[in-house]
């Protein structure tokens, strides 16, 4: 119905502009692609002129990034870093930029974001899907190798201590989203929406001039929405305990976001964190970091920073929305919505 209305409106616009010399009718043609890359489903939608070229360039860029950032591809930057035995490696500008943001967000979160947890993630089976609960001793041993502050960055020359292994799963999709929206903008696209495994990034508004409406998953019932945020030119990026997890025989659930403090799934009060901001890369890094930080530290982190908003769901059923996004958020859940204020009262 909405599509029919939009089509009727576009037709009316065409009629109104006909006969006025050069036609200024807006081209709202949808160009789209659905792809599977980086272990996730991706949907790209760009409207109007330049959209088709932008989509095909974006697809090639995603394939190239997947190649560069993969931990399992022996030709990738990550493979080179993880097998350099402490020697410096020259990486692509893409990898260097991601590592810069990882270092920044790791610092500002007190180490909650930790890209050097790869051996611990492997022990849990989160990298392969062969899940198991490792022994405490195994976790402790592997965790002793993890310390992002020991990664030395000098432009594109990176040194990782021998034994340490990196994984950029916490921020790769956000960076990829920034690259895709960048390509679209370079092709003159002024209305687009992309979803990379549920991480959404939007350019401009919908072709009908209204804001993009992005559904946020209810972590307690992932098949339904918690609510909807209305945005333009923003990234909306979520980390949740329902995205990748397994359950043991006793019914305990273990999820893919680990706390670098102990190497176990982060269990500091949050089950879902959505970050809304300009940069997909930063929002993606933050979504993982804030999840690990937990409710109180995440709120403090937000108050210290001025460049993102967030929607938190706690394991006790609290829904917390920061004041900058609250007016643009519609709560569709049973949970009462509390607004986090910048000035604590
Ligand atoms: P996200 O869905 O963006 O929160 O990213 C989760 C992914 O980041 C996991 O699947 C792991 O590959 C990786 N990861 C898990 N815990 C951490 C952590 N504390 N810091 C950085 N990366 C992590
Ligand atoms: Mg993330």
């Amino acid at each position: 119905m909405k599509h029919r209305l939009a089509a009727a409106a576009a037709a009316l616009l065409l009629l109104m502009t006909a006969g006025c010399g050069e036609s200024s009718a807006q081209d709202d043609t949808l160009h789209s692609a659905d792809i599977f890359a980086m272990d996730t489903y991706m949907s790209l939608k760009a409207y109007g002129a330049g959209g088709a070229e932008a989509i095909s360039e974006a697809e090639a860029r995603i394939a190239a990034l997947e190649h560069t950032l993969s931990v399992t591809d022996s030709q990738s930057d990550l493979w080179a870093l993880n097998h350099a035995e402490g020697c410096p490696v020259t990486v692509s500008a893409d990898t260097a930029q991601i590592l810069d943001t990882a270092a920044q967000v790791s610092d500002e979160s007190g180490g909650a974001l930790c890209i050097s947890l790869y051996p611990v993630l492997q022990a849990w089976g989160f990298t392969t899907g062969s899940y198991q609960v490792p022994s405490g001793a195994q976790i402790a041993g592997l965790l002793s190798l993890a310390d992002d502050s020991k990664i030395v960055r000098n432009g594109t020359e990176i040194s990782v201590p021998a034994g340490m292994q990196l994984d950029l799963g916490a921020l790769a999709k956000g960076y990829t989203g920034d690259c895709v929206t960048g390509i679209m903008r370079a092709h003159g696209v002024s209305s687009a929406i992309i979803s990379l495994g549920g991480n959404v990034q939007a350019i401009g508004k919908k072709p009908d001039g209204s804001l993009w409406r992005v559904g946020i998953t209810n972590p307690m019932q992932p098949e339904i929405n918690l609510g909807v945020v209305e945005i333009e030119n923003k990234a909306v990026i979520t980390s949740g305990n329902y995205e990748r997890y397994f359950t043991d025989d006793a019914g305990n659930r273990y999820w893919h976001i680990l706390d670098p403090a102990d190497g176990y799934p982060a269990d500091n009060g949050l089950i879902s964190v959505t970050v809304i901001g300009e940069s997909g890369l930063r929002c993606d890094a933050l979504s993982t970091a804030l999840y690990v930080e937990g409710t109180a530290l995440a709120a403090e982190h937000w108050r210290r920073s001025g460049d993102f908003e967030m929607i938190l769901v706690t394991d006790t059923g609290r829904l917390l929305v920061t004041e900058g996004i609250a007016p643009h958020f519609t709560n569709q859940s049973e949970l009462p919505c509390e607004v986090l204020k910048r000035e604590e009262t």
Side-chain angles (χ1 to χ4, degrees):
M1 182 64 185
K2 238 187 225 163
H3 293 294
R4 241 181 279 154
L5 278 177
L12 187 67
L13 192 73
L14 265 173
L15 277 175
M16 285 163 68
T17 51
C20 306
E22 259 179 50
S23 168
S24 57
Q26 209 186 316
D27 172 8
D28 287 347
T29 312
L30 168 63
H31 304 277
S32 67
D34 291 303
I35 50 183
F36 186 81
M38 299 183 172
D39 207 19
T40 198
Y41 290 96
M42 302 184 171
S43 141
L44 316 181
K45 290 188 167 67
Y47 293 84
E53 297 79 359
I55 297 259
S56 64
E57 194 178 322
E59 286 186 271
R61 183 82 164 102
I62 290 168
L65 279 172
E66 180 172 33
H67 185 64
T68 306
L69 304 176
S70 162
V71 266
T72 51
D73 181 337
S74 63
Q75 302 298 309
S76 76
D77 277 356
L78 265 276
W79 181 280
L81 288 170
N82 289 347
H83 295 85
E85 297 297 334
C87 298
V89 171
T90 301
V91 298
S92 62
D94 293 316
T95 303
Q97 197 183 331
I98 297 173
L99 292 174
D100 281 349
T101 298
Q104 159 79 33
V105 174
S106 180
D107 274 357
E108 65 186 74
S109 65
L113 184 80
C114 180
I115 58 167
S116 51
L117 284 173
Y118 186 59
V120 190
L121 287 161
Q122 270 180 316
W124 282 97
F126 286 117
T127 54
T128 55
S130 301
Y131 301 124
Q132 57 177 329
V133 181
S135 71
Q138 193 185 358
I139 293 178
L142 295 172
L143 197 58
S144 67
L145 303 168
D147 182 353
D148 285 13
S149 68
K150 291 194 179 141
I151 303 167
V152 180
R153 292 169 300 113
N154 186 1
T156 54
E157 196 186 89
I158 313 292
S159 302
V160 172
M164 183 185 284
Q165 294 204 295
L166 312 183
D167 147 70
L168 300 179
L171 3 60
K173 277 184 261 160
Y175 181 73
T176 305
D178 288 342
C179 293
V180 170
T181 51
I183 288 167
M184 288 180 173
R185 287 199 164 93
H187 280 278
V189 171
S190 57
S191 172
I193 187 117
I194 64 170
S195 168
L196 310 188
N199 287 348
V200 175
Q201 292 185 231
I203 296 181
K205 295 181 181 165
K206 287 203 234 174
D208 68 4
S210 63
L211 294 169
W212 292 107
R213 290 169 56 80
V214 180
I216 312 292
T217 298
N218 185 332
M220 291 163 175
Q221 278 173 281
E223 59 289 350
I224 62 170
N225 275 349
L226 176 78
V228 170
V229 275
E230 292 194 305
I231 50 137
E232 66 179 304
N233 293 318
K234 289 274 186 315
V236 180
I237 300 210
T238 300
S239 290
N241 71 347
Y242 56 88
E243 288 175 324
R244 187 171 301 176
Y245 66 91
F246 68 97
T247 310
D248 69 9
D249 295 342
N252 300 306
R253 184 194 272 214
Y254 304 94
W255 50 90
H256 68 308
I257 301 172
L258 302 183
D259 191 336
D262 59 11
Y264 283 81
D267 196 11
N268 298 316
L270 294 173
I271 56 171
S272 167
V273 174
T274 299
V275 179
I276 300 114
E278 303 279 327
S279 152
L281 173 59
R282 181 160 162 78
C283 290
D284 201 1
L286 282 168
S287 72
T288 312
L290 295 164
Y291 188 104
V292 174
E293 287 185 86
T295 321
L297 290 180
E300 274 178 35
H301 192 158
W302 168 72
R303 287 196 178 96
R304 286 198 305 274
S305 318
D307 64 345
F308 69 91
E309 299 295 332
M310 59 185 190
I311 299 167
L312 310 177
V313 182
T314 76
D315 55 9
T316 55
R318 288 173 73 197
L319 165 60
L320 301 157
V321 180
T322 55
E323 62 181 343
I325 197 69
H328 312 287
F329 175 70
T330 307
N331 181 11
Q332 297 174 327
S333 76
E334 305 280 294
L335 308 176
C337 184
E338 301 169 48
V339 177
L340 276 180
K341 300 270 185 343
R342 223 162 253 291
E343 303 297 328
E344 276 180 283
T345 45

